Amino acid sequence: MKEILEYLQSYRGRPLTLMEVCGTHTAEINRNGIPGLLPSGIRLVSGPGCPVCVTVTEYIDRLIALGKEPGNIVVTFGDMLRVPGSQQSLSEARAEGCLVKMVYSPLDMLKLAESDREHTYIFAAVGFETTAPVYAMLLKKARGNGIENIRLLTSLKVMPPVIDWICGEKRDSGIDGFLAPGHVSVITGSRAFEGLAEKYGIPFVVAGFEGGQILAAIGALVKLRGTGKTVNMYTSAVTREGNRKAQAAVEEYFEPADASWRGMGVIPGSGMVLRKEYEAFDAGSRALMEDKERNKGCCCARVLTGKIRPCQCPLFGKVCTPQTPQGACMVSSEGSCYNSINSLFAENG
Ligand code: SF4
């Protein structure tokens, strides 16, 4: 650890911008005060790695509309409750009678649906490659147990196409290396990033989640700058091939699709939707291709693509706070703006 810190702090090369694309990395980088340990020539930016942050307002609106229909109950993780829709959040809608239940695992919904056949239970199926296998398992168990009163409203994203989009056709993103997402890589394997690394001539390093592991990965990115190499430094959980069983389960139920990302628009091939043969379980996910920003001043898209830091958004800390979030980056504990403002609070006591 001491050696890595000395190496990083002695860096005097050209300025580097490194991006992490995993919400847990964002949270851990801030929790460990890593930006403050780096010299001015190494800048860390947070990419679109928080699934809640990249969910479009149209999706929240649709969930609320479903929860207000008689006979429906929306089921969700807690972090979705406060995400702003175009008019209100799920939490605000619940106060007006929209039926919403919070669970800790999608599989909890099976018990609810099995014991209450009078209602249709609709899960807010948001997530990346990491969460998709759980939704596949949910559907498999539901079919196996004859539970038909469940639906998924999916907003499932896959990581390589959005990284490709950030790097851009003009290769002018200004990103010099990526901390590849640890959880996603467990499922996809590190090879999912090899093509991107070669295409753009920048390194990708798969990192674990402890402060020391993240620092070591940053050190590796600095050493590998200018190369198109992919290195796996999280070998206790990630292989080159990934989890083939989980990949097969996802392929059985889901197929690739275009997806809409908050503030970024539709990115081809960056999502997953239920296959046609399982569309009886779909609550209308394929129609969600719009992105109506709630607050036009919100710079989530520029924050999520590393163009600006959260504190450069004119609303940061003024209109937009964790108590009054204007964009999803301020809602989730994995969001860039939420973590930046919490770091500031911690620094200033
Ligand atoms: Fe959006 Fe708030 Fe972040 Fe600005 S500070 S980008 S308004 S979430």
Side-chain angles (χ1 to χ4, degrees), residues 293 295 297-301 303 308 310-311 313-317 319-321 324-331 336-338:
E293 284 281 345
N295 188 322
C298 173
C299 306
C300 271
V303 169
I308 62 167
C311 61
C313 168
L315 307 185
F316 180 82
V319 181
C320 186
T321 68
T324 55
Q326 301 300 304
C329 302
M330 190 60 91
V331 175
S336 318
C337 300
Y338 179 93

